[in-house]
Amino acid sequence: QVQLVESGGGLVQPGGSLRLSCAASGMSLSMYTMGWYRQAPGNLRELVAVISSSGGTTYADSVKGRFTISRDNAKNTVNLQMNSLKSEDTAVYYCNAAWRMNYWGRGTQVTVSS
């Protein structure tokens, strides 16, 4: 059974940092394009960052220079380092794996508030 499990969310003050992790089981991530998406209340789910199987990255304009996506195929994980967090980054963050199939995790809540 394929599973993506996100972790690392929580409450952080503006300007703070969080590191999200996505651990895969039942599959090898090496051939997948991996992505982080987020959805705030009342909004559509939006792309935050993606990393291809070869390591190429793409970021939403709103997070460029603040967020970094990385992958560790040996550990079957994908991470999202989030720095200089803003209140508008508050959302549920979802991990996605896309190749021949498309898989989603259940999400982890990130709240940026003082």
Side-chain angles (χ1 to χ4, degrees):
Q1 180 181 0
V2 174
Q3 277 192 315
L4 298 175
V5 179
E6 302 96 337
S7 61
L11 173 64
V12 64
Q13 292 187 342
S17 298
L18 282 175
R19 183 176 177 85
L20 304 184
S21 292
C22 172
S25 60
M27 62 185 286
S28 171
L29 294 182
S30 62
M31 296 302 294
Y32 284 78
T33 292
M34 300 301 300
W36 286 96
Y37 293 72
R38 66 187 180 188
Q39 187 168 16
N43 289 0
L44 297 175
R45 190 172 297 188
E46 63 177 4
L47 171 72
V48 176
V50 292
I51 184 166
S52 70
S53 58
S54 60
T57 58
T58 300
Y59 295 92
D61 287 343
S62 59
V63 307
K64 281 181 181 176
R66 300 189 297 122
F67 291 10
T68 302
I69 189 171
S70 62
R71 65 191 300 155
D72 187 334
N73 290 337
K75 295 182 178 179
N76 231 24
T77 58
V78 176
N79 300 307
L80 185 69
Q81 178 67 42
M82 305 187 295
N83 299 328
S84 302
L85 283 161
K86 306 175 181 179
S87 58
E88 51 263 44
D89 295 318
T90 296
V92 178
Y93 283 70
Y94 298 90
C95 179
N96 173 262
W99 183 38
R100 293 175 178 174
M101 298 287 289
N102 196 33
Y103 299 102
W104 291 93
R106 298 182 68 175
T108 184
Q109 176 70 47
V110 171
T111 302
V112 185
S113 175
S114 56

